[in-house]
Amino acid sequence: MLNNRNVRLLAIAFVAFYLLSQPAAAAEVVNNAFSAIGDAGTQLATFVNRLGT
């Protein structure tokens, strides 16, 4: 059976394999993720600023 520890190790192994086999694609995924986080922060800041008006 797969428990949490085994699933976690499997996920780490998959990420390591992906990073080593396709580093350019992995870098693009990370860049897109950070861009999405930045966009979400900007949207949240806009929302909070508009609450006061």
Side-chain angles (χ1 to χ4, degrees):
M1 278 266 169
L2 290 176
N3 58 24
N4 272 347
R5 184 169 184 247
N6 290 340
V7 171
R8 188 178 309 140
L9 289 176
L10 186 63
I12 290 170
F14 175 74
V15 168
F17 172 76
Y18 186 66
L19 285 173
L20 293 174
S21 65
Q22 297 187 11
E28 187 66 26
V29 168
V30 171
N31 284 335
N32 288 340
F34 280 123
S35 177
I37 291 171
D39 291 344
T42 301
Q43 295 292 338
L44 182 61
T46 300
F47 171 75
V48 171
N49 285 335
R50 294 216 176 166
L51 285 177
T53 56

